[in-house]
Amino acid sequence: MAASDRVRPVCETQADALLALLIPFRRLALAVSGGPDSTALLLLVAAWRARRTNAPEIHVLTVDHGLRPEAAEEARAVAALSERLGFPCRILTSTAPKPAANRQAAARDLRQGLLLAACAELGADALVLAHHLDDQAETFLLRLARGSGVYGLAAMPARGFWQEDAGTCVAVLRPLLAVSKANLIATCEAAGETFAEDPSNEDPAYARTRLRALMPALAREGLDAETLAATAARLASAAAVVDAQVDAVLASAAVFHPAGPARVSVAALTRLPRETLLRLLARLLADVGGEAYPPRLVRLEGLVERLAESDRVQATLSGVVARRRDGEIVFWREPGRTGRAPADLNGPGRVVFDRRFLLEAECGGYFRIVPLGRLSDHGFDRKAAGDWPSQAFAGAPLLLGPGDASYCPGLAGEAPAGVRLVPIARRESLWRPELGANPFGRGEI
């Protein structure tokens, strides 16, 4: 079948299969830029909702980043279309200074921050994005060019997470990853809807644009978008198997202290395949350091080599100190890193400290979380650290107030009644791909 024969609007049957991903959620936010991809997403979701009796509550979010003169008009057009389709729409704007360089990346980061904040305000269970088959193929090629490992080459997940430095995290859904851009354009045209085009998408200054220009030549050699996306999906399945192995090792050989540090037996690591070892260390770095994304593969491999040099060695990566000693590796938050400003809360409410801990207060009163520093600074006994290095708690969360009360999880004091200070689960921020269906009936491989 010729490529042109496959360019047709997304039909109802296909849309129902794609958008089944949205069914478990109560309230969803759709990110709509006004381009053909997200406009098609909006049209498909509107028609899908009309066919269902139990569809989620839908809100539309569109960003006027102010980086192009047309942005404001495009945002108003999205709002008008959303209203016509029966969806409430918010136009998100920012007063941040316009970037002087790398405007595409700056616009992406600004858009993500605004969307995350809006999802938090709405209480949205997930954010729906319009990434499609061509995006997936381009992402695979970009990561291949960077020398990414199995997780990077798995490209974008249909279900994942976005997270920002302040700790805000939202589930992300990408239901259109199996649909080509041409089919999405055809969907808009069949509905008689116009859409905007961002001229920066054709700017050869950007690597993604240059790779896009290569796609026709690659397709002639058999490397079309479908093939590249299928390869990414197979690597995602392989990554899922590695994650299952990592889960088992963490459950049997790792210890996580309530105040943040972690440690793992070296003996348990020596038996692991290299890919599993790298993934395990990436997970530990994320849990302890609070970074939303793992380090580049080459830097992670460097950490492995450094820690393997001797039984007394220390290294730092992703804001985490890793010290090998006495048959184990201890990980803790690097002292002096940025992002550790005090977190304040006038309860009741919630606040995130250092991207790693969530404070939830059901009661009133003023609370502040600061880095613990030295145990002696607060009159804590050195024995409270047990057999952990005392410096491993320099970045631990110290909860102050009301009054003179102080509390550090697992070290000293008690949390006030109605107050919880707990680590934020970080493993989900390192996307966890699903295992494939097992035809022999076990449900998972």
Side-chain angles (χ1 to χ4, degrees):
M1 181 182 292
S4 59
D5 296 332
R6 299 198 298 267
V7 178
R8 56 174 64 92
V10 177
C11 67
E12 286 188 6
T13 301
Q14 185 184 10
D16 286 342
L18 296 169
L19 298 177
L21 190 66
L22 314 186
I23 293 174
F25 297 90
R26 173 186 56 88
R27 179 178 298 154
L28 295 172
L30 269 59
V32 181
S33 68
D37 317 333
S38 58
T39 299
L41 172 67
L42 179 57
L43 295 170
L44 291 169
V45 170
W48 173 78
R49 186 184 68 166
R51 295 192 296 271
R52 297 190 61 84
T53 58
N54 60 339
E57 179 183 332
I58 305 290
H59 295 259
V60 175
L61 302 176
T62 189
V63 175
D64 173 11
H65 46 58
L67 298 179
R68 292 186 292 110
E70 306 86 358
E73 180 57 35
E74 290 167 3
R76 288 192 291 270
V78 169
L81 176 58
S82 301
E83 182 178 352
R84 179 151 51 88
L85 295 173
F87 296 137
C89 178
R90 289 190 184 188
I91 298 178
L92 310 178
T93 60
S94 171
T95 58
K98 291 184 175 67
N102 202 2
R103 291 165 66 90
Q104 194 174 61
R108 181 186 63 241
D109 293 343
L110 173 63
R111 183 167 56 247
Q112 178 169 324
L114 291 171
L115 290 170
L116 279 168
C119 285
E121 292 175 8
L122 285 170
D125 301 316
L127 176 67
V128 187
L129 303 176
H131 292 124
H132 49 74
L133 182 72
D134 302 69
D135 291 327
Q136 187 74 309
E138 291 163 11
T139 299
F140 175 86
L141 290 174
L142 282 168
R143 295 182 179 178
L144 184 65
R146 289 202 299 256
S148 296
V150 63
Y151 285 91
L153 294 176
M156 293 181 289
R159 289 185 289 187
F161 289 81
W162 269 4
Q163 185 174 318
E164 65 175 356
D165 283 350
T168 302
C169 184
V170 66
V172 167
L173 307 177
R174 299 180 178 92
L176 304 182
L177 288 178
V179 184
S180 72
K181 184 181 184 72
N183 290 110
L184 296 177
I185 291 174
T187 299
C188 294
E189 292 174 342
E193 296 293 344
T194 59
F195 49 82
E197 287 284 10
D198 185 345
S200 69
N201 290 332
E202 305 301 323
D203 189 342
Y206 301 113
R208 187 177 286 272
T209 302
R210 296 193 298 273
L211 283 174
R212 189 176 301 137
L214 294 174
M215 288 301 292
L218 292 174
R220 289 193 292 271
E221 301 298 329
L223 292 173
D224 58 12
E226 291 86 350
T227 301
L228 294 172
T231 301
R234 293 186 179 99
L235 288 166
S237 294
V241 175
V242 177
D243 263 328
Q245 295 173 337
V246 170
D247 285 338
V249 176
L250 290 175
S252 63
V255 177
F256 294 88
H257 193 283
R263 60 190 183 192
V264 63
S265 161
V266 172
L269 304 183
T270 59
R271 299 187 294 269
L272 298 180
R274 186 175 182 81
E275 190 66 39
T276 306
L277 173 61
L278 291 168
R279 180 61 169 177
L280 184 144
L281 289 177
R283 289 262 295 270
L284 285 168
L285 292 174
D287 281 339
V288 174
E291 296 291 338
Y293 301 102
R296 291 284 181 90
L297 180 60
V298 64
R299 300 190 68 195
L300 196 58
E301 290 176 330
L303 177 64
V304 169
E305 299 306 321
R306 177 79 173 122
L307 293 175
E309 288 177 0
S310 73
D311 196 45
R312 292 284 176 178
V313 65
Q314 181 170 303
T316 303
L317 182 60
S318 294
V320 175
V321 176
R323 176 187 292 177
R324 181 174 174 181
R325 57 150 209 187
D326 301 331
E328 65 180 8
I329 303 174
V330 185
F331 302 83
W332 66 84
R333 182 77 158 99
E334 181 185 6
R337 287 283 291 195
T338 58
R340 288 174 52 188
D344 299 287
L345 174 66
N346 280 312
R350 310 171 70 189
V351 70
V352 171
F353 169 70
D354 193 27
R355 305 187 302 270
R356 300 181 299 137
F357 288 88
L358 175 67
L359 173 65
E360 294 182 302
E362 299 175 358
C363 56
Y366 172 75
F367 300 91
R368 164 167 275 212
I369 311 175
V370 299
L372 176 63
R374 295 180 302 180
L375 295 171
S376 59
D377 290 344
H378 306 280
F380 294 165
D381 192 328
R382 169 63 184 84
K383 294 179 181 178
D387 58 354
W388 296 82
S390 59
Q391 56 267 52
F393 299 102
L398 179 67
L399 178 63
L400 306 173
D404 297 327
S406 61
Y407 164 66
C408 184
L411 280 180
E414 294 184 2
V419 173
R420 296 175 65 244
L421 179 59
V422 295
I424 297 173
R426 292 294 173 182
R427 295 175 191 174
E428 293 293 350
S429 64
L430 295 170
W431 162 58
R432 303 290 309 285
E434 291 189 355
L435 295 169
N438 186 334
F440 295 100
R442 290 178 54 201
E444 291 186 343
I445 294 175

